[in-house]
C-alpha cells in the first residue's frame, strides 16, 4: 500500500476515516510557503491551498484511475519528487459513451454524481475500469521537481491514474521530448536501447514522492478537534 501523509488546514468530512489512522496535521509552514507561491504564481486558486496529500510510491506502486471529486476546487497542483512517473488521463466513461453516440454534444449531459463512486480514503473517487488504449486518453511524464497543474475538463471529464507497474509505456506521453533528463538515466531505464525516442518503455527504479495540493471547498469546522 502507498504510504501517505495528510496535511489539512481544515477538518473535512471525508478525512475523518484517515484522521485517526494516518498522519493528519495542519499544513506546516515550510509547506504553506510552497503552496502560497503556487497560488500566487498561477492565480488559479480563489483562496489559499488548504489541503496537501503526500504520497510515496515504490516503483511498482501507482494510484488507480479516479477523479478528485466535488469536495475540492477543480484545480489540482501536483509536485513530483524523486523518480519520474507516467500519469495517465483517460476519459470518464460517461464522456466516452457520449463521444461514441453524439460527438457534437459532449458537455450537454451530466457526469455521474459522486454518490455513484467510492471514496478511496483521500477524498478521491475511485473508478475501476478505464481503457488506456482509448484514442482520447493521453499521458504525461512527471519529472522530479516538476509541477503538474490540471483543471477544467481534465478535472471533470477525465480520470487520472498511475499504473501499478515498474514499466511505464511512453507511447502516449505528450511531453516525452521535453524530458531531457530521461536520456541521462541509466540505460536500463529505457528498455531496448539508448535513445528514448526509439523506445517506448520506461522502467521506474526509485521511490517517488508527490505532494498533491488542493483547496477544500466545504469546511466542517466543528466535526472534531486535532
Ligand atoms: O501522486 C500523484 O501524482 C497523484 C495523486 C492523486 O491523484 C491524488 O492524490 O488524488
Ligand atoms: Fe487524484
Amino acid at each position: 500500500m502507498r504510504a501517505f501523509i495528510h496535511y489539512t488546514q481544515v477538518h473535512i468530512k471525508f478525512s475523518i476515516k484517515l484522521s485517526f489512522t494516518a498522519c493528519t496535521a495542519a499544513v506546516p509552514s515550510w509547506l504553506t510557503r510552497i503552496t502560497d507561491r503556487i497560488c500566487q504564481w498561477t492565480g488559479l486558486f480563489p483562496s489559499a491551498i488548504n489541503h496537501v496529500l503526500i504520497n510515496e510510491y515504490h516503483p511498482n506502486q501507482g494510484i488507480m484511475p479516479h477523479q478528485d471529486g466535488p469536495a475540492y476546487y477543480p484545480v489540482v497542483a501536483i509536485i513530483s519528487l524523486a523518480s519520474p512517473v507516467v500519469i495517465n488521463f483517460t476519459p470518464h466513461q460517461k464522456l466516452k459513451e457520449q463521444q461514441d453516440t453524439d460527438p457534437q454534444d459532449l458537455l450537454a449531459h451530466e457526469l455521474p454524481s459522486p454518490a455513484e463512486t467510492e471514496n478511496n480514503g483521500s477524498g478521491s473517487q475511485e473508478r475501476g475500469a478505464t481503457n488506456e488504449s482509448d484514442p482520447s486518453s493521453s499521458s504525461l511524464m512527471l519529472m522530479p521537481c516538476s509541477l503538474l497543474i490540471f483543471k477544467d475538463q481534465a478535472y471533470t471529464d477525465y480520470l487520472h491514474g498511475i499504473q501499478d507497474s515498474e514499466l511505464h509505456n511512453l507511447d502516449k506521453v505528450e511531453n516525452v521530448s521535453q524530458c531531457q533528463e530521461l536520456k541521462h538515466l541509466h540505460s536500463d531505464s529505457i528498455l531496448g536501447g539508448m535513445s528514448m525516442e526509439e523506445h517506448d518503455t520506461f522502467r521506474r527504479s526509485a521511490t517517488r514522492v508527490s505532494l498533491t495540493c488542493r483547496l477544500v471547498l466545504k469546511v466542517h469546522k466543528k466535526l472534531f478537534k486535532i
Side-chain angles (χ1 to χ4, degrees), residues 2 53 55 57 63 66-68 76 78-80 85 87 120 122 124 142 148 150 160-162 208-212 214:
R2 267 181 304 129
L53 181 66
N55 281 318
Y57 300 85
I63 185 165
H66 65 281
Q67 287 188 299
D68 287 0
V76 185
I78 299 176
I79 299 168
S80 289
V85 86
I87 189 166
N120 73 358
S122 69
S124 306
L142 303 184
L148 168 70
F150 65 91
H160 55 280
I162 295 168
R208 169 176 181 261
V209 172
S210 70
L211 289 79
T212 304
R214 292 173 286 206

Side-chain angles (χ1 to χ4, degrees), residues 136-154:
S136 49
S137 70
S138 69
S139 305
L140 287 171
M141 177 66 81
L142 303 184
M143 295 300 284
C145 294
S146 67
L147 173 67
L148 168 70
I149 298 186
F150 65 91
K151 63 187 191 79
D152 300 333
Q153 271 187 285

Side-chain angles (χ1 to χ4, degrees), residues 8-16 19 24-26 50-51 216 218-226:
T8 175
Q9 220 65 303
V10 295
H11 307 309
I12 45 176
K13 208 173 180 181
F14 57 69
S15 71
I16 292 175
S19 298
T24 299
N50 57 11
H51 189 271
V216 176
K218 199 170 179 184
V219 178
H220 298 257
K221 279 189 179 149
K222 292 187 180 167
L223 276 177
F224 58 88
K225 286 185 186 165
I226 287 182

